[in-house]
Amino acid sequence: MALTQQLARVSPQYLAQCRAAAEVSPDGNPDWDPPAEDTVDLDWAIWGLIWFCQRMRIEGPCVQVLKRSISGDPGGDIEFLDHPGVYDGFDSPPALLAPAAVAEVARGLAALDIGEVLSCLPADHLEAAETCGFRGFNGHPREYLVEHFGLLQSFYLIASRRGLAVLTWTD
């Protein structure tokens, strides 16, 4: 089973509802079930994009905003989501970005020019894949990275416009 980066857009009210469900459930089940349209599976693309930026020493806020977008912020009072009904427990429990932080991340992602970031991606597909940490990747990773960055950017833009929080985890 491959690990992938998961995100969910949720309202503070939904988090309160899940917290209350976990408190009364005998096994702490938060009844986590956000709508499918408010979740996204980013596969491992953003990890590869971060790897690429670090290896190429791309300066500026690129790496910080990408890391924050998939790692969340510390704290957030969401320990109740550390449950098998939410994620498989392989990696760290889910992390939260509150609505104000979501707006900051959305602005940071909107300011990134993915074409410019990837301008030094090698043309050779094997070398490009290796530069992104993608051993065994089939084809050139540019389209994969651009597509998933677009998903991430759009996901945060919508969350910001709707005043939602974002939960991040690996599953």
Side-chain angles (χ1 to χ4, degrees), residues 18-57:
C18 290
R19 184 178 294 108
E23 288 172 0
V24 299
S25 171
D27 70 348
N29 188 341
D31 289 332
W32 174 258
D33 191 22
E37 64 270 11
D38 284 323
T39 64
V40 68
D41 181 337
L42 293 170
D43 207 17
W44 55 86
I46 305 307
W47 302 334
L49 188 55
I50 291 168
W51 178 271
F52 167 75
C53 289
Q54 290 174 326
R55 288 197 64 195
M56 301 308 289
R57 292 186 168 82

Side-chain angles (χ1 to χ4, degrees), residues 69-138:
S69 75
I70 62 169
S71 299
D73 287 337
D77 188 28
I78 57 167
E79 295 81 24
F80 62 92
L81 293 175
D82 188 358
H83 186 276
V86 179
Y87 81 114
D88 66 11
F90 182 81
D91 198 24
S92 303
L96 174 73
L97 284 161
V102 167
E104 290 174 16
V105 170
R107 283 190 300 275
L109 291 171
L112 290 180
D113 179 344
I114 193 67
E116 183 179 319
V117 169
L118 295 176
S119 65
C120 54
L121 187 65
D124 177 76
H125 72 280
L126 293 175
E127 188 179 347
E130 183 68 28
T131 304
C132 297
F134 297 153
R135 287 187 181 89
F137 191 84
N138 190 13

Side-chain angles (χ1 to χ4, degrees), residues 118-169:
L118 295 176
S119 65
C120 54
L121 187 65
D124 177 76
H125 72 280
L126 293 175
E127 188 179 347
E130 183 68 28
T131 304
C132 297
F134 297 153
R135 287 187 181 89
F137 191 84
N138 190 13
H140 198 284
R142 178 181 293 281
E143 184 177 324
Y144 173 76
L145 294 171
V146 169
E147 176 185 342
H148 284 81
F149 176 77
L151 283 171
L152 179 69
Q153 200 176 40
S154 173
F155 189 85
Y156 269 93
L157 176 64
I158 292 168
S160 176
R161 286 181 178 164
R162 292 172 52 199
L164 298 176
V166 170
L167 266 288
T168 71
W169 72 100

